[in-house]
Amino acid sequence: MKKSFCLKEKFLLFLCLSLVVLSGCVTNGNPTPKDFLKDGKADIFVLNDIVYSNVENIDWVKELNYTIGEEIGEITKQTNKAKDFENGTSNKLPVGTIIYETNTPIDIAIVDGKEIPYLKMLEG
């Protein structure tokens, strides 16, 4: 009987460790639209499964000298509901807005001739 008790203990230990590892995998990762839309002031879009956030009021961004490069995407949908976000969705940018890469960490959306900087929100 002692031997079967040890096997049960090992199994329970293995099960607990597995749950800890799996829960760590679920909670770590890049931010989602839901993380940003809790704040009514958020200005975000999603491209290539990455959330981009408006950074036009950040001091270091205001000081950047950038060159606009290739088009990397287009806004194809607008919503304020996190569950409805998919690639090409924004909560503020109008449908049809083109997103461009730059030679800096920011990317640029152009709306009515105005260049608006966005930054990828990546878990670091």
Side-chain angles (χ1 to χ4, degrees):
M1 289 194 99
K2 179 96 170 142
K3 188 174 188 176
S4 66
F5 183 72
C6 288
L7 288 175
K8 287 180 185 177
E9 285 181 336
K10 288 179 183 178
F11 176 74
L12 287 174
L13 180 62
F14 174 78
L15 183 61
C16 288
L17 289 173
S18 296
L19 289 174
V20 168
V21 169
L22 289 175
S23 66
C25 292
V26 172
T27 58
N28 290 335
N30 293 330
T32 66
K34 184 178 180 180
D35 297 323
F36 291 91
L37 293 174
K38 294 173 189 174
D39 173 11
K41 298 176 186 176
D43 178 357
I44 62 170
F45 65 84
V46 174
L47 282 181
N48 299 317
D49 299 320
I50 303 288
V51 175
Y52 291 71
S53 182
N54 182 316
V55 291
E56 66 186 331
N57 293 320
I58 306 295
D59 288 338
W60 69 265
V61 173
K62 292 176 186 177
E63 297 173 8
L64 284 177
N65 290 316
Y66 59 84
T67 302
I68 294 178
E70 299 288 320
E71 177 181 326
I72 58 170
E74 179 179 350
I75 301 304
T76 57
K77 179 179 175 182
Q78 190 180 63
T79 185
N80 284 314
K81 296 180 181 181
K83 67 180 179 77
D84 294 336
F85 263 74
E86 55 192 32
N87 287 316
T89 304
S90 174
N91 70 322
K92 302 269 182 176
L93 293 172
V95 170
T97 300
I98 304 297
I99 312 299
Y100 298 91
E101 68 181 359
T102 73
N103 58 333
T104 70
I106 64 164
D107 294 308
I108 299 293
I110 299 180
V111 178
D112 296 329
K114 180 182 177 188
E115 297 175 3
I116 306 169
Y118 285 82
L119 186 64
K120 289 180 184 180
M121 298 289 106
L122 302 173
E123 183 70 30

